[in-house]
């Protein structure tokens, strides 16, 4: 029986993909990588900041030291944080607020499981923070998805056993992480069909059989 829902943030509750893309694209151009595309950006979905940087650097031929890579990741984050200034509740994806309100009415605890270190700022700027019971994010963990750590920390903060949690995710790495945590999952977003989640939906704005899902 499900007692808590752990939502991924980017791509599930909020649309920040375009801002990540713009920030990585700016960095890529500075590094003379001219062909960083939206397709490359899709591979960064649910992937940590340093792993996302590797996806950018693989498009070029220069080799960077760890120190240089850390500076590059920080530079991209500064661009992204600047772009986040423009974020408001219009970035919240369709059906999100209605779904969370409904789940809370059913007595569900609501958690966040995101590898983004910008999670607190995003929740505050989009005003989603008012609906969230506990947050587990990049600031709480040492291992990114597909490692289950971010979801296990979320369950711990909610005071729930993994088998009583359902993860909602848009990335393959996130679904693997949910399984490794011993949690059922609902896959959403443009790739929902290929995620191998327990349940599937195009988005939270569609008819999802919540009562059945929560009883299993
Ligand atoms: P940051 P999620 C992930 O968030 C994004 O999908 C991914 O594109 C990003 O690289 C990662 O957060 C790290 O974000 O650079 O802000 O710490 O999908 O786990 O909510
Ligand atoms: Mg995501």
């Amino acid at each position: 029986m499900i007692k808590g829902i752990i939502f991924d943030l980017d791509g599930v509750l909020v649309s920040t993909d375009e801002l990540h893309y713009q920030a990585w694209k700016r960095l890529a151009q500075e590094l003379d990588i001219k062909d960083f595309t939206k397709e490359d950006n899709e591979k960064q979905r649910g992937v940590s900041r340093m792993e996302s940087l590797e996806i950018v650097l693989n498009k070029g031929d220069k080799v960077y030291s760890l120190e240089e890579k850390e500076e590059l990741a920080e530079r991209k984050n500064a661009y992204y944080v600047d772009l986040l200034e423009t974020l408001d509740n219009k970035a919240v994806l369709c059906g999100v607020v209605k779904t969370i309100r409904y789940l809370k009415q059913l007595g569900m605890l609501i958690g966040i499981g995101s590898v983004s270190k910008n999670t607190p700022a995003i929740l505050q700027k989009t005003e989603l923070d008012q609906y969230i019971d506990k947050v587990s994010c990049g600031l709480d963990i040492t291992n990114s998805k597909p490692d289950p750590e971010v979801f296990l920390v979320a369950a711990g903060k909610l005071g729930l056993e993994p088998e009583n949690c359902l993860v909602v995710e848009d990335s393959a790495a996130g679904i693997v992480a949910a399984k490794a945590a011993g949690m059922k999952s609902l896959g959403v977003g443009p790739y929902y069909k290929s995620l191998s989640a327990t349940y599937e939906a195009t988005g939270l704005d569609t008819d999802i059989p919540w009562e059945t899902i929560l009883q299993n």
Side-chain angles (χ1 to χ4, degrees):
M1 193 176 178
I2 301 299
K3 298 178 182 169
I5 317 291
I6 303 172
F7 288 95
D8 170 55
L9 184 60
D10 294 322
V12 171
L13 300 184
V14 179
S15 166
T16 44
D17 341 17
E18 180 58 30
L19 304 184
H20 273 298
Y21 174 64
Q22 284 177 29
W24 284 122
K25 179 98 186 151
R26 182 171 167 190
L27 181 76
Q29 277 165 347
E30 288 169 359
L31 302 179
D32 265 336
I33 297 168
K34 309 238 184 301
D35 60 343
F36 178 74
T37 62
K38 288 235 172 189
E39 241 170 55
D40 299 314
N41 177 235
E42 283 300 336
K43 293 187 206 133
Q44 295 171 316
R45 196 178 276 264
V47 168
S48 75
R49 195 180 302 170
M50 287 309 273
E51 287 167 285
S52 297
L53 174 67
E54 294 296 342
I55 292 171
V56 176
L57 297 183
N58 281 341
K59 303 281 296 190
D61 46 19
K62 287 195 199 122
V63 177
Y64 296 89
S65 68
L66 181 60
E67 214 179 24
E68 286 168 325
K69 286 180 184 176
E70 279 166 359
E71 186 277 319
L72 294 175
E74 265 176 45
R75 205 195 303 175
K76 177 270 172 178
N77 190 53
Y79 298 153
Y80 180 60
V81 168
D82 271 355
L83 292 167
L84 284 180
E85 281 302 311
T86 63
L87 204 70
D88 59 21
N89 59 11
K90 289 197 281 297
V92 176
L93 291 166
C94 287
V96 165
V97 170
K98 195 175 164 204
T99 301
I100 294 182
R101 283 196 175 136
Y102 171 69
L103 292 169
K104 282 181 96 82
Q105 266 174 21
L106 295 180
M108 290 297 121
L109 290 172
I110 306 294
I112 295 288
S114 167
V115 299
S116 174
K117 291 181 175 153
N118 294 296
T119 295
I122 294 170
L123 289 175
Q124 194 228 325
K125 291 191 81 66
T126 55
E127 297 166 19
L128 283 173
D129 49 358
Q130 60 187 304
Y131 304 110
I132 310 300
D133 295 303
K134 297 287 173 193
V135 174
S136 166
C137 74
L139 302 170
D140 301 291
I141 55 163
T142 46
N143 303 298
S144 290
K145 300 165 188 174
D147 189 282
E149 187 180 6
V150 75
F151 295 135
L152 292 173
V153 169
K157 286 190 180 189
L158 291 169
L160 297 176
E161 294 302 322
E163 65 263 31
N164 298 128
C165 297
L166 176 87
V167 167
V168 186
E169 256 290 351
D170 70 320
S171 75
I175 296 295
V176 174
K179 274 186 197 151
M183 299 175 187
K184 290 197 173 116
S185 56
L186 167 65
V188 296
Y191 305 103
Y192 76 101
K193 279 226 174 282
S194 62
L195 298 176
S196 305
T198 322
Y199 309 101
E200 295 173 345
T202 50
L204 295 176
D205 55 343
T206 57
D207 272 338
I208 295 170
W210 282 112
E211 292 194 15
T212 314
I213 291 174
L214 301 180
Q215 273 161 22
N216 285 328

